[in-house]
Amino acid sequence: MPKRSPRALFLGTGFVVGDGSMVVTNAHVIPQTLDFEHLEEIAVFYRNGKNEKAVTAKEVAVDKEHDLVVLKLSEGQLPL
């Protein structure tokens, strides 16, 4: 949320799956809708050594019954 303060909200944790470009987390931490007018996006924050990074992600699969969601990173791969 680059136009808001704070710019980011940390809502949950997840784990990397597949080739490193997907993350599984709980469905309840993903907003039902995003405020595109305020440039709101889903982002995955991670640390690699001393480097902290963020990458945007899109929802690719949701299972509300089991409270799971699969996110696809917009770029790159995370370490498995």
Side-chain angles (χ1 to χ4, degrees):
M1 300 180 296
K3 292 186 172 187
R4 292 190 182 168
S5 181
R7 289 183 59 173
L9 299 173
F10 300 97
L11 300 173
T13 61
F15 56 92
V16 179
V17 296
D19 65 357
S21 67
M22 294 184 286
V23 173
V24 175
T25 189
N26 293 109
H28 73 266
V29 302
I30 303 298
Q32 294 289 329
T33 59
L34 295 173
D35 185 350
F36 294 109
E37 183 177 319
H38 289 99
L39 306 177
E40 193 173 63
E41 295 181 284
I42 296 171
V44 173
F45 294 83
Y46 66 99
R47 180 180 299 175
N48 190 0
K50 293 183 179 184
N51 298 323
E52 295 178 353
K53 298 185 178 188
V55 62
T56 59
K58 301 283 184 198
E59 205 176 279
V60 293
V62 179
D63 181 345
K64 291 194 185 251
E65 182 179 343
H66 295 98
D67 193 28
L68 295 171
V69 64
V70 179
L71 303 173
K72 173 79 171 161
L73 302 179
S74 63
E75 61 183 55
Q77 295 172 311
L78 300 176
L80 299 173

